[in-house]
Amino acid sequence: MALEIEAQDVIKIVLQFCKENSLQQTFQTLQNECQVSLNTVDSNETFVTDINNGRWDTILPQVAQLKLPRNKLEDLYEQIVLEMIELRELDTARAILRQTQAMGVMKQEQPERYLRLEHLLVRTYFDPNEAYQGSTKEKRRAQISQGLAAEVSVVPPSRLMALIGQALKWQQHQGLLPPGTQFDLFRGAAAMKQDVDDQYPTTLSHTIKFGTKSHAECARFSPDGQFLVSSSVDGFIEVWDYISGKLKKDLQYQADSRFRSNNSQHVPVDEKLILMGKETFMMHDDAVLCVDFSRDSEMLASGSQDGKIKVWRVRTGQCLRRLEKAHSKGVTSLAFSRDGSQLLSASFDSTARIHGLKSGKLIKEFRGHTSYVNDAIFIADGSRVITASSDCTVKVWDVKTSECLQTFRPPPPLRGGDASVNSVHLFPKNSDHIVVCNKTSSIYIMTLQGQVVKSFSSGKREGGDFLAACVSPKGEWIYCVGEDRNIYCFSYQSGKLEHLMKVHEKDVIGVTHHPHRNLVATYSEDSTMKLWKP
């Protein structure tokens, strides 16, 4: 059951923080603007004792920060005025009587009571019996202390800092915040370590297991480096903490992971829906073939085998937009525009399209490929779209006119024939160059006119064709995964294959790189996603 948190309680916690840090002006402004009063004292016992002993220099500053009923406040101030007269502290008595708000109200609404105090003030003698009206100073103090004690409460000190500390401890306990990690409290994230130099992976960091009948079809890191998202053949989209290799449990919609697809005992999709409630997490009715993050890492787009696209808010799991008929066949690739207002998609229906996210309408369509479009990306300035197709070509399109500006074929395989193009990638070292991965044992850096700038080859004639690729953040390394279940690490500087290792037991589906750390994720039909580090 979700905990209900009252807005008033949050304001009170902030008020306590202001009070403890002597932010008097902020305290008063917030209290007046929100009409919420703190009304707390450090100790009820001490508060009562101070009143009973007439320690008014201690009580008055405390009372100034409390919201008290007018009658109780008037009783208190009246008592202090009487005691100051008794002590012949006439200046103090006069100041309280004539300059405090409580006494000002008494003068307006109870003039006789007020004038009695004025008369006592100008007399040359003091009669306790007359002043305290048949009672005693001590009895009056006791009555006032009891009345005021009922209006105040005691709370532990530093509630704001204590609650933040507890939240961080819980995150550490859940493995969301490894010990020793610096935490950016304002951004609500661990301060991201940025690796200075690109280095190729050699060591398995974590293995994420999906259900026996499930596997990841796509995986992407968020641009801010906080999330790793996978989309599965059973329709689930899940957000992972790549540091611990576990589901991110600080996302409410993932907090209950009993029926997640990474469960060792796989639960069929329809059963999961009954158990979890379909709208409480991110999913499609069909296999989710591709995902992509918006530039600010706030939104995630997903495309499925049935041609539908959904856009989600990552922090809440809320579906912001459904494009039910984005394509007539499966969606193979997605890319947000720089400003996050448009979404570029590619499909098995041989087209690439741009959709407006506000309207949900089709804005542009790029027609011309004669087979599946496997990938589509915007160039850095957003003026061109580049598509990769199973018709063995790469096409460059004008975004404004939808016109095809260029069509070229990457070099064919060594064994002859043509090869479908798996993917295209922006090259960090040069905005005019792209990395093109086709189903051969070579990968190419090419210009937008189709000229090969540099090629990297495994030298394998058979059984080692590349299926997917990614580029390191600074462009120093190009990583390819092959039919032989190996990852090939090519150095841009040397042009050579510097490292080769087997990454999975069954066919590898894809590979993706963290935006600013030396971390690579590979995913496969063996129902695992693996995280690799240097």
Side-chain angles (χ1 to χ4, degrees), residues 78-333:
E78 183 180 48
Q79 181 67 20
I80 297 171
V81 169
L82 291 171
E83 291 193 23
M84 292 302 108
I85 295 170
E86 184 178 3
L87 293 168
R88 309 314 288 163
E89 294 276 357
L90 300 178
D91 287 344
T92 307
R94 196 175 288 111
I96 293 170
L97 188 59
R98 295 175 186 174
Q99 292 172 23
T100 57
Q101 194 179 354
M103 292 287 100
V105 173
M106 185 192 281
K107 185 179 180 182
Q108 295 292 320
E109 301 193 359
Q110 300 176 66
E112 286 178 15
R113 185 179 177 187
Y114 179 84
L115 285 170
R116 190 180 83 87
L117 295 173
E118 283 281 11
H119 290 320
L120 290 171
L121 184 62
V122 295
R123 281 191 187 168
T124 54
Y125 65 93
F126 183 84
D127 178 357
N129 203 32
E130 183 194 357
Y132 299 125
Q133 294 176 310
S135 182
T136 65
K137 177 166 61 178
E138 287 71 24
K139 278 183 186 171
R140 297 248 322 208
R141 282 178 181 175
Q143 282 174 337
I144 290 166
S145 68
Q146 280 178 346
L148 293 182
E151 299 295 332
V152 297
S153 57
V154 177
V155 292
S158 307
R159 287 297 293 142
L160 181 63
M161 303 313 283
L163 287 168
I164 290 169
Q166 285 166 1
L168 294 180
K169 271 184 189 164
W170 181 84
Q171 290 202 327
Q172 280 196 336
H173 176 67
Q174 291 287 319
L176 302 165
L177 199 63
T181 307
Q182 277 204 325
F183 191 78
D184 183 335
L185 198 59
F186 187 62
R187 286 177 64 233
M192 291 307 299
K193 180 177 160 229
Q194 301 221 356
D195 291 325
V196 180
D197 300 316
D198 285 358
Q199 291 177 295
Y200 60 77
T202 58
T203 311
L204 181 62
S205 173
H206 289 290
T207 300
I208 293 167
K209 291 179 181 172
F210 297 86
T212 47
K213 293 178 186 170
S214 180
H215 63 258
E217 283 285 348
C218 185
R220 290 290 179 270
F221 287 97
S222 57
D224 66 2
Q226 297 290 339
F227 305 121
L228 169 61
V229 164
S230 66
S231 65
S232 305
V233 73
D234 64 2
F236 280 78
I237 300 160
E238 287 161 313
V239 188
W240 304 92
D241 176 8
Y242 62 83
I243 296 170
S244 67
K246 293 175 182 167
L247 274 174
K248 272 190 92 65
K249 295 288 185 63
D250 55 341
L251 299 171
Q252 187 61 46
Y253 58 93
Q254 293 198 152
D256 181 5
S257 63
R258 286 173 301 157
F259 306 107
R260 286 270 152 203
S261 59
N262 66 318
N263 206 320
S264 55
Q265 191 172 3
H266 186 68
V267 180
V269 171
D270 55 353
E271 202 174 319
K272 281 184 190 177
L273 300 186
I274 296 161
L275 292 164
M276 299 180 70
K278 192 173 175 182
E279 290 305 310
T280 58
F281 53 99
M282 300 192 289
M283 76 159 296
H284 284 254
D285 296 330
D286 216 330
V288 184
L289 306 181
C290 55
V291 288
D292 187 54
F293 277 96
S294 60
R295 200 154 158 255
D296 61 6
S297 304
E298 292 292 321
M299 293 187 291
L300 179 80
S302 54
S304 58
Q305 179 74 54
D306 54 11
K308 293 177 183 173
I309 291 172
K310 293 184 182 183
V311 180
W312 314 86
R313 189 173 301 290
V314 184
R315 293 264 170 206
T316 61
Q318 177 195 0
C319 186
L320 301 174
R321 171 67 70 194
R322 288 178 175 84
L323 306 176
E324 297 287 345
K325 294 177 181 173
H327 286 277
S328 58
K329 294 182 181 174
V331 184
T332 55
S333 154

Side-chain angles (χ1 to χ4, degrees), residues 343-356:
L343 192 61
L344 169 65
S345 61
S347 168
F348 289 135
D349 67 8
S350 306
T351 69
R353 293 173 177 173
I354 293 178
H355 313 266

Side-chain angles (χ1 to χ4, degrees), residues 2 39 53 104 164 220 318 367 399 416 418:
N39 277 19
N53 291 327
I164 290 169
R220 290 290 179 270
Q318 177 195 0
R367 277 186 177 275
V399 168
D418 276 327

Side-chain angles (χ1 to χ4, degrees), residues 211-502:
T212 47
K213 293 178 186 170
S214 180
H215 63 258
E217 283 285 348
C218 185
R220 290 290 179 270
F221 287 97
S222 57
D224 66 2
Q226 297 290 339
F227 305 121
L228 169 61
V229 164
S230 66
S231 65
S232 305
V233 73
D234 64 2
F236 280 78
I237 300 160
E238 287 161 313
V239 188
W240 304 92
D241 176 8
Y242 62 83
I243 296 170
S244 67
K246 293 175 182 167
L247 274 174
K248 272 190 92 65
K249 295 288 185 63
D250 55 341
L251 299 171
Q252 187 61 46
Y253 58 93
Q254 293 198 152
D256 181 5
S257 63
R258 286 173 301 157
F259 306 107
R260 286 270 152 203
S261 59
N262 66 318
N263 206 320
S264 55
Q265 191 172 3
H266 186 68
V267 180
V269 171
D270 55 353
E271 202 174 319
K272 281 184 190 177
L273 300 186
I274 296 161
L275 292 164
M276 299 180 70
K278 192 173 175 182
E279 290 305 310
T280 58
F281 53 99
M282 300 192 289
M283 76 159 296
H284 284 254
D285 296 330
D286 216 330
V288 184
L289 306 181
C290 55
V291 288
D292 187 54
F293 277 96
S294 60
R295 200 154 158 255
D296 61 6
S297 304
E298 292 292 321
M299 293 187 291
L300 179 80
S302 54
S304 58
Q305 179 74 54
D306 54 11
K308 293 177 183 173
I309 291 172
K310 293 184 182 183
V311 180
W312 314 86
R313 189 173 301 290
V314 184
R315 293 264 170 206
T316 61
Q318 177 195 0
C319 186
L320 301 174
R321 171 67 70 194
R322 288 178 175 84
L323 306 176
E324 297 287 345
K325 294 177 181 173
H327 286 277
S328 58
K329 294 182 181 174
V331 184
T332 55
S333 154
L334 288 166
F336 276 92
S337 61
R338 273 178 78 82
D339 65 0
S341 68
Q342 297 178 351
L343 192 61
L344 169 65
S345 61
S347 168
F348 289 135
D349 67 8
S350 306
T351 69
R353 293 173 177 173
I354 293 178
H355 313 266
L357 289 184
K358 257 195 179 159
S359 65
K361 290 181 178 166
L362 176 65
I363 295 174
K364 302 280 182 202
E365 183 174 68
F366 306 99
R367 277 186 177 275
H369 284 295
T370 55
S371 184
Y372 306 152
V373 182
N374 300 315
D375 199 8
I377 60 170
F378 286 105
I379 67 166
D381 67 5
S383 65
R384 304 274 185 272
V385 160
I386 304 164
T387 52
S389 170
S390 291
D391 66 10
C392 310
T393 68
V394 172
K395 287 182 183 285
V396 180
W397 311 80
D398 185 297
V399 168
K400 271 189 182 162
T401 64
S402 309
E403 184 190 348
C404 181
L405 304 175
Q406 201 80 40
T407 302
F408 57 86
R409 288 173 184 259
L414 296 168
R415 60 180 174 274
D418 276 327
S420 71
V421 187
N422 304 313
S423 60
V424 282
H425 311 263
L426 297 178
F427 187 54
K429 288 186 177 292
N430 189 328
S431 58
D432 295 327
H433 293 167
I434 53 171
V435 176
V436 180
C437 173
N438 63 348
K439 205 169 177 297
T440 68
S441 56
S442 296
I443 188 162
Y444 305 95
I445 296 175
M446 304 180 77
T447 67
L448 297 184
Q449 290 72 43
Q451 293 155 319
V452 175
V453 178
K454 206 163 189 173
S455 63
F456 308 86
S457 176
S458 73
K460 264 196 175 184
R461 289 183 77 86
E462 297 288 340
D465 284 354
F466 298 147
L467 303 171
C470 68
V471 185
S472 68
K474 295 185 177 72
E476 295 295 340
W477 297 91
I478 294 171
Y479 303 114
C480 304
V481 286
E483 288 177 322
D484 53 8
R485 301 165 190 175
N486 286 324
I487 188 166
Y488 292 80
C489 308
F490 294 105
S491 162
Y492 170 75
Q493 295 299 341
S494 70
K496 291 177 183 169
L497 175 64
E498 297 290 345
H499 186 65
L500 171 71
M501 63 179 176
K502 188 177 179 185

Side-chain angles (χ1 to χ4, degrees), residues 19 24 27-28 31 38-39 61-67:
K19 181 182 170 184
Q24 304 297 350
F27 179 91
Q28 290 298 347
Q31 195 162 252
L38 188 58
N39 277 19
Q62 289 185 65
V63 167
Q65 293 187 331
L66 302 173
K67 282 236 174 180

